[in-house]
Amino acid sequence: MNRLLHNHKMFEFATVWWYNVDDTVNVYIKFYLGVIEYMKSNFTSDVKDSEKVGKFLDDYFYDYYKKHSEFAEFERVHNRYIDFKGADVIGTTKSGEKINIDEKATASYMKKQILLPTFAFELGGILEHNKDYRGWLLNPEKDTQLYVLALPIEIDGEIALSEVMVIDRDLLLSMLAKEGLTGKILSEYTDKVYQGDFNGFDFYPEKGTYYKKIDENFKLVYSTKIAEKPFNLVIGKEFLAQVAGEIFWICNDKGISPVRISSERYFPPANWKRIYSFLHKKG
């Protein structure tokens, strides 16, 4: 049935056989069609949330970042092919160099108003027909040069606050390699997981996840309850701050200047409300 779930011919199957099966199978068909509609609804919601995060960054981050970086301009990408290659935004430096920027956000947590102490980097997942794919962190087909990581908080339907880090992809991979997490080792983990080899992982049935803690900064997580069966390298923000060099706190008020924090002074805040209050008092 898992293969059936990822197969678009499910709809044809349901139409042809609807009146020629017993009640039990009928129930299964209704159930799986419901799951598919739920997945489509989630996908639509994810796209809308990503667009909302992108607009927030356009309105409140990029103009400010130009003043504190080598960039002269930022242009949002509307070409699906370029987007697929790992560029949501193309930045142009003052010297004229074009830089591909991929935006990643914890959008599914913003309505819950949860500020995570970590960020997940995709190593792999499952497409339809149970075909596994290489995630965006290690995928050689991605032309991403920078990641803009956003951890937004939504209040009354609007993004009110976001923590933002700008991560150089090559530098991140280099620093991971120094921690013993080379591209080869991460790829080997990914291959084993999608071959069903979870040796060294703990399983948490209530969450449907396989979990392997590497150290305080890194863990590997495979999720069985999500349709794409993602396999992620989850990285602590303190390590990411060292890669980024600085962190930005942005709120949805152009009259309030964002806050820049150097990695030496950074610690993941336990309460985003304190940051929100501080920004408004400062502004």
Side-chain angles (χ1 to χ4, degrees):
M1 296 299 272
N2 285 335
R3 290 181 179 274
L4 191 58
L5 186 59
H6 294 286
N7 194 332
H8 294 305
K9 291 184 179 180
M10 171 69 182
F11 294 98
E12 180 182 346
F13 172 85
T15 302
V16 173
W17 293 98
W18 187 265
Y19 298 107
N20 298 292
V21 295
D22 60 31
D23 290 341
T24 302
V25 178
N26 204 348
V27 168
Y28 274 118
I29 292 173
K30 288 182 179 179
F31 171 75
Y32 277 100
L33 284 174
V35 170
I36 290 171
E37 288 303 315
Y38 174 77
M39 288 164 57
K40 287 169 62 182
S41 175
N42 274 2
F43 175 78
T44 301
S45 176
D46 289 346
V47 170
K48 289 181 178 178
D49 286 344
S50 295
E51 290 174 348
K52 182 181 286 190
V53 172
K55 186 177 187 308
F56 176 86
L57 293 171
D58 287 344
D59 290 344
Y60 303 107
F61 176 67
Y62 287 117
D63 282 343
Y64 174 80
Y65 189 59
K66 281 191 293 188
K67 301 173 184 177
H68 301 280
S69 69
E70 74 276 17
F71 286 97
E73 294 294 336
F74 293 98
E75 180 182 359
R76 184 157 295 280
V77 170
H78 299 288
N79 182 304
R80 288 189 176 185
Y81 175 76
I82 297 175
D83 184 24
F84 176 78
K85 296 290 284 184
D88 294 307
V89 172
I90 295 177
T92 304
T93 67
K94 293 179 174 68
S95 63
E97 183 183 3
K98 302 291 185 180
I99 304 292
N100 293 329
I101 300 170
D102 198 5
E103 295 173 346
K104 300 297 180 185
T106 55
S108 60
Y109 289 91
M110 66 183 182
K111 293 183 178 67
K112 301 174 185 177
Q113 298 185 341
I114 296 174
L115 190 64
L116 296 176
T118 58
F119 205 96
F121 289 77
E122 184 188 59
L123 298 177
I126 296 289
L127 295 171
E128 61 179 348
H129 310 302
N130 283 353
K131 180 178 175 58
D132 59 280
Y133 65 88
R134 192 65 66 195
W136 45 262
L137 178 61
L138 298 178
N139 193 329
E141 295 182 3
K142 301 295 184 183
D143 295 329
T144 305
Q145 292 161 279
L146 294 179
Y147 295 117
V148 168
L149 307 183
L151 296 97
I153 296 293
E154 188 175 284
I155 300 175
D156 297 329
E158 298 294 331
I159 297 176
L161 175 75
S162 183
E163 183 178 12
V164 178
M165 297 185 189
V166 180
I167 301 285
D168 184 293
R169 185 190 190 193
D170 287 342
L171 179 59
L172 173 61
L173 293 174
S174 175
M175 291 181 69
L176 286 174
K178 290 179 181 178
E179 298 292 327
L181 295 171
T182 64
K184 179 180 179 182
I185 288 174
L186 292 173
S187 293
E188 288 173 354
Y189 273 123
T190 304
D191 291 339
K192 287 181 179 179
V193 160
Y194 289 107
Q195 291 166 8
D197 182 356
F198 294 98
N199 184 39
F201 285 74
D202 295 316
F203 181 62
Y204 295 85
E206 67 280 3
K207 295 182 179 180
T209 59
Y210 287 89
Y211 172 98
K212 180 181 178 65
K213 182 177 180 180
I214 296 172
D215 62 25
E216 294 302 319
N217 287 316
F218 311 107
K219 58 186 176 182
L220 297 167
V221 180
Y222 174 77
S223 303
T224 66
K225 290 188 176 182
I226 300 175
E228 294 80 12
K229 303 292 191 297
F231 181 50
N232 294 321
L233 173 65
V234 179
I235 304 177
K237 286 196 296 189
E238 289 187 12
F239 179 86
L240 291 173
Q242 297 301 316
V243 181
E246 58 186 1
I247 298 87
F248 300 89
W249 283 99
I250 316 293
C251 68
N252 61 345
D253 187 334
K254 291 185 178 180
I256 297 176
S257 179
V259 168
R260 297 168 67 211
I261 305 171
S262 70
S263 58
E264 289 78 12
R265 296 191 296 117
Y266 176 79
F267 62 93
N271 190 338
W272 63 265
K273 293 181 181 179
R274 291 184 180 180
I275 301 293
Y276 187 68
S277 176
F278 171 76
L279 284 171
H280 281 76
K281 287 179 180 178
K282 178 183 71 67

